[in-house]
Amino acid sequence: MSVWLPGAPCTPRACVEGTASWTAVPRAVLRLVAVVVLVLAGVALSPFGARIPAGAIRRWSRTVVRAAGVRIRVTGEPVPATGGLLLVANHISWLDIPLLAGVRPARMLAKKEIRAWPVVGAMAANGSLFIDRDRLRALPGTVATVAGVLRAGQAVAVFPEGSTWCGRAQGHFRRAVFQAALDARVPVQPVRIRYRDGAGAASTAPAYVGDDSLLASLWRVASARGLVAEVEVLPLLAPDGATDRRALAAAAGERVLAGPHEHRRGSREFPASGGPSGARDGIMARVPTS
């Protein structure tokens, strides 16, 4: 792995709480079956993604999260429904991806290795933007591609920390991808994601970090009780409000990573379905500093 790639100290053994219990097994199995069915349906429909209404994609994305047994609580600003938009959020779990799609469907910036993943790779191949994390020279081309998509009036979703964190610790926003928003002159939509347990405390159960396997993370989520995903949509950052990508990344990072926010414009909650050694690279791309 290249030395310039960002990393985090979070590991499953040091940071992630377990949720396993024998009584949770039947419920967890039903939840996993529901998630698999929904994902397979998404794979089957992914070639038609451009023709599927945004509202249907949002509902499907939220249904995947709820099927895993996680309630969704959305607060904050309304999100622009049309026009180019760079969605940026902190990165904790594979759940972050459907949560962001539930805010506004967007093309995801993902590491190129995802194409080889079973099931998920087939879905990602239709619409995702890929970055070669091992080739620093490819970065300007990736930024230019993202800028072109933004200029075309589409939304792009990125996790600028470049790595998953456990949810109790966090990194900082790398600045490279923010150049695309400046070049395309589109706003940046910061989104803050947090996971809480049934008592309201921060939960690391959904984290997907270090040498964790996707199956282990899926099982922790499906077997947990009372998990809540909090999605806080923060005020837009206008492209003309920052002098350069460093300032824009810092402004977005300050809003998303600085701690709890008091800003609340509205609150919507979506209940969970009642039934059926270093940082994890995650599904999304690691975005280098340059």
Side-chain angles (χ1 to χ4, degrees):
M1 181 176 291
S2 302
V3 296
W4 54 266
L5 292 175
C10 303
T11 66
R13 286 167 294 282
C15 306
V16 179
E17 63 215 32
T19 59
S21 71
W22 286 111
T23 57
V25 170
R27 180 181 66 247
V29 169
L30 288 174
R31 288 174 173 174
L32 287 178
V33 169
V35 169
V36 169
V37 169
L38 286 165
V39 170
L40 289 176
V43 171
L45 293 173
S46 60
F48 310 99
R51 296 195 289 272
I52 299 175
I57 296 175
R58 283 195 297 268
R59 287 190 293 272
W60 175 83
S61 301
R62 290 168 179 167
T63 301
V64 169
V65 178
R66 295 199 304 269
V70 181
R71 286 183 296 148
I72 306 171
R73 185 174 298 135
V74 180
T75 61
E77 299 281 333
V79 178
T82 59
L85 185 70
L86 184 67
L87 285 153
V88 298
N90 57 305
H91 202 10
I92 300 170
S93 172
W94 53 271
L95 284 166
D96 303 341
I97 297 169
L99 286 173
L100 272 189
V103 170
R104 177 175 167 182
R107 298 184 67 176
M108 294 282 178
L109 181 62
K111 60 181 184 177
K112 68 179 181 65
E113 291 88 343
I114 293 299
R115 287 174 171 167
W117 286 19
V119 184
V120 175
M123 184 182 298
N126 291 286
S128 294
L129 304 170
F130 294 99
I131 183 172
D132 186 343
R133 302 168 306 138
D134 294 319
R135 292 182 60 233
L136 184 57
R137 292 180 180 178
L139 182 59
T142 300
V143 171
T145 299
V146 172
V149 172
L150 294 172
R151 286 193 195 97
Q154 299 182 54
V156 176
V158 183
F159 298 116
E161 285 174 290
S163 175
T164 50
W165 291 69
C166 69
R168 292 192 178 127
Q170 57 197 15
H172 67 276
F173 278 3
R174 307 282 164 160
R175 60 182 181 264
V177 75
F178 290 91
Q179 185 63 49
L182 291 172
D183 292 346
R185 299 195 62 78
V186 302
V188 173
Q189 178 65 78
V191 178
R192 187 170 185 263
I193 298 173
R194 289 291 181 266
Y195 297 95
R196 300 196 180 278
D197 60 23
S203 174
T204 63
Y208 182 37
V209 295
D211 58 359
D212 207 3
S213 70
L214 181 58
L215 182 59
S217 179
L218 279 164
W219 184 258
R220 281 196 307 272
V221 171
S223 59
R225 281 185 175 272
L227 275 180
V228 178
E230 296 182 344
V231 181
E232 184 176 9
V233 182
L234 301 163
L236 279 175
L237 290 167
D240 54 2
T243 55
D244 56 27
R245 64 189 181 192
R246 184 190 298 271
L248 190 56
E254 182 179 357
R255 294 190 178 189
V256 175
L257 304 173
H261 295 269
E262 297 301 325
H263 179 83
R264 297 287 189 276
R265 179 165 292 187
S267 177
R268 292 162 287 155
E269 185 161 327
F270 302 88
S273 171
S277 74
R280 160 67 54 185
D281 291 348
I283 292 179
M284 303 309 296
R286 291 170 176 262
V287 180
T289 300
S290 300

